[in-house]
Amino acid sequence: MQRHSLTSWWLAECWPQVFNKLIRRYKYLEKGFEEEIKKLLLFLKGFTESERNKLAMLTGILLANGNISASILSSLFNENLVKEGVSAAFAVKLFKSWINEKDINSVAGSLRKVGMDNRLMELFPANKRSCEHFSKYFTDAGLKELSDFARNQQSIGARKELQKELQEQMSRGDPQREIIAFTKEEMKKANLSEQTMISIIWTSVMSSVEWNKKEELVNQQAIKHLKQYSPLLKAFTSQGLSELSLLLKIQEYCYDNIHFMNAFQNIVVLLYKADVLSEEAILKWYTEAHLAKGKSVFLEQMKKFVEWLKNAEEESESEEEEAD
């Protein structure tokens, strides 16, 4: 037990410091050191399980301290290592060491930096390369935070792919009934909420056209384009929360795209007339649910229309009372 503790101490404190000092003093060693680690990982089968565990621990600490980049993990995707379960077992020890040294945010940031955030499933053979298997394996190993990160990354990747496909369908001019049927099927498969779906649809709709650079012309272009796709938007705003999600996406889009700043009111009014947005959702957005982005500009634009909605609502209530 004492010997094991001493070995762990050397791995955790001494060797990383030695490598760190050498690389800091001789910067040209950095790239070569990383390449050697990559090669070393390719021959994990040549080590005993105890040696692999020590190497995984050391590698995790080096990653946490920034001595090597997460690109070295590509060696773990070697077909033979994956097939025999060596890669996954090594990854458990490595990520535990990394997270103990830093945290899951350090891991996530480093993986994203080198494009490894969507490749963790490759630690398993093709027939086990599923979110469910990955989640169970790493959760059982005490790495639930890594499991949650991978699940979230897969979900983000699926949404991006769906958005891309929708955009391509719109650019081709596919019939909207086909786009709606496809989207509903994909929404069911991915278990996405209507609120998430309407955000994806909005982004796809607005990305499927080349917008005019002149503000006075982009307003007309936006109204024409959104009028065409109002049936698609309507099909995924059957809930009040979905309508509110759409309003927030519109606000965000108009704020982030300067040419659309003055088009906000016209877009909202169009979608109200097309029965995509209800007066309840618009009033809720106006009074309490709007974003801070461009708040004063957009509230001012909507002021007269909101007053009209409130007056129309009061008149309707008055007529109902008289009828009673």
Side-chain angles (χ1 to χ4, degrees):
M1 185 70 179
Q2 197 172 16
R3 186 179 175 185
H4 174 73
S5 299
L6 186 62
T7 303
S8 297
W9 177 75
W10 267 95
L11 283 170
E13 298 294 335
C14 296
W15 280 116
Q17 285 185 28
V18 170
F19 290 131
N20 191 40
K21 285 179 180 178
L22 280 171
I23 291 170
R24 281 178 180 275
R25 180 172 292 183
Y26 306 106
K27 291 296 287 182
Y28 64 87
L29 292 176
E30 189 172 342
K31 188 172 180 59
F33 181 58
E34 199 166 288
E35 288 302 315
E36 289 305 312
I37 293 287
K38 277 186 182 180
K39 291 176 188 175
L40 195 61
L41 297 187
L42 286 173
F43 296 98
L44 286 178
K45 285 167 64 179
F47 295 96
T48 65
E49 185 179 351
S50 175
E51 288 169 339
R52 283 200 294 266
N53 290 342
K54 291 172 188 174
L55 179 59
M57 181 181 174
L58 176 61
T59 306
I61 293 169
L62 292 171
L63 283 162
N65 293 335
N67 299 127
I68 53 177
S69 82
S71 62
I72 60 102
L73 297 176
S74 61
S75 293
L76 295 181
F77 303 145
N78 175 272
E79 188 179 350
N80 292 325
L81 295 177
V82 169
K83 187 179 178 182
E84 296 190 26
V86 174
S87 293
F90 186 87
V92 166
K93 301 292 183 182
L94 181 152
F95 283 117
K96 274 189 177 180
S97 176
W98 191 348
I99 292 170
N100 286 338
E101 191 76 10
K102 292 281 187 171
D103 54 31
I104 190 62
N105 294 324
S106 165
V107 174
S110 296
L111 290 174
R112 288 194 187 102
K113 190 175 180 180
V114 296
M116 288 282 179
D117 50 321
N118 289 315
R119 296 191 63 192
L120 294 181
M121 297 291 168
E122 294 176 44
L123 291 167
F124 298 98
N127 62 337
K128 293 182 179 179
R129 208 168 286 170
S130 69
C131 197
E132 289 70 27
H133 181 77
F134 185 98
S135 180
K136 186 176 187 317
Y137 187 91
F138 282 95
T139 299
D140 289 349
L143 284 167
K144 187 177 184 301
E145 57 266 72
L146 185 68
S147 168
D148 291 342
F149 168 73
R151 186 179 289 276
N152 186 51
Q153 289 303 114
Q154 190 183 55
S155 177
I156 291 170
R159 291 177 200 181
K160 284 181 179 177
E161 284 300 312
L162 177 54
Q163 181 184 311
K164 184 181 176 183
E165 177 59 31
L166 283 174
Q167 191 176 324
E168 287 175 359
Q169 289 179 5
M170 292 172 200
S171 297
R172 289 196 305 263
D174 292 2
Q176 280 196 58
R177 64 180 181 278
E178 291 181 13
I179 297 177
I180 291 170
F182 166 80
T183 306
K184 285 189 173 180
E185 184 63 30
E186 291 300 311
M187 177 179 162
K188 187 177 177 182
K189 273 188 205 173
N191 195 28
L192 298 174
S193 66
E194 193 178 74
Q195 293 83 57
T196 300
M197 199 66 247
I198 194 63
S199 296
I200 293 172
I201 291 168
W202 168 263
T203 304
S204 301
V205 167
M206 299 306 282
S207 301
S208 65
V209 65
E210 190 72 34
W211 295 106
N212 200 295
K213 300 297 181 186
K214 294 183 178 179
E215 188 178 324
E216 62 273 17
L217 296 177
V218 83
N219 198 329
Q220 298 172 17
Q221 188 185 7
I223 295 303
K224 184 179 178 181
H225 183 64
L226 289 169
K227 189 173 183 180
Q228 177 188 350
Y229 283 103
S230 59
L232 174 61
L233 295 167
K234 185 179 177 180
F236 294 90
T237 48
S238 65
Q239 304 166 15
L241 281 175
S242 307
E243 294 179 50
L244 200 52
S245 294
L246 177 57
L247 272 164
L248 294 175
K249 287 299 289 185
I250 297 169
Q251 181 184 350
E252 191 173 44
Y253 186 88
C254 290
Y255 178 82
D256 291 340
N257 296 273
I258 191 68
H259 297 307
F260 283 84
M261 282 292 283
N262 292 322
F264 181 78
Q265 184 213 17
N266 291 335
I267 291 172
V268 173
V269 172
L270 165 73
L271 296 179
Y272 170 76
K273 290 179 179 178
D275 205 23
V276 175
L277 297 172
S278 65
E279 62 184 69
E280 290 83 8
I282 295 171
L283 292 174
K284 185 172 181 62
W285 170 86
Y286 186 84
T287 56
E288 60 183 273
H290 48 262
L291 300 171
K293 291 181 174 181
K295 171 184 169 182
S296 56
V297 174
F298 299 133
L299 291 183
E300 182 60 33
Q301 280 186 37
M302 293 297 295
K303 189 176 180 181
K304 288 185 179 179
F305 182 68
V306 166
E307 287 174 359
W308 179 83
L309 283 178
K310 286 180 178 177
N311 291 333
E313 189 177 20
E314 288 170 6
E315 287 176 14
S316 177
E317 288 174 358
S318 177
E319 287 174 4
E320 284 178 7
E321 287 174 4
E322 288 177 8
D324 291 340

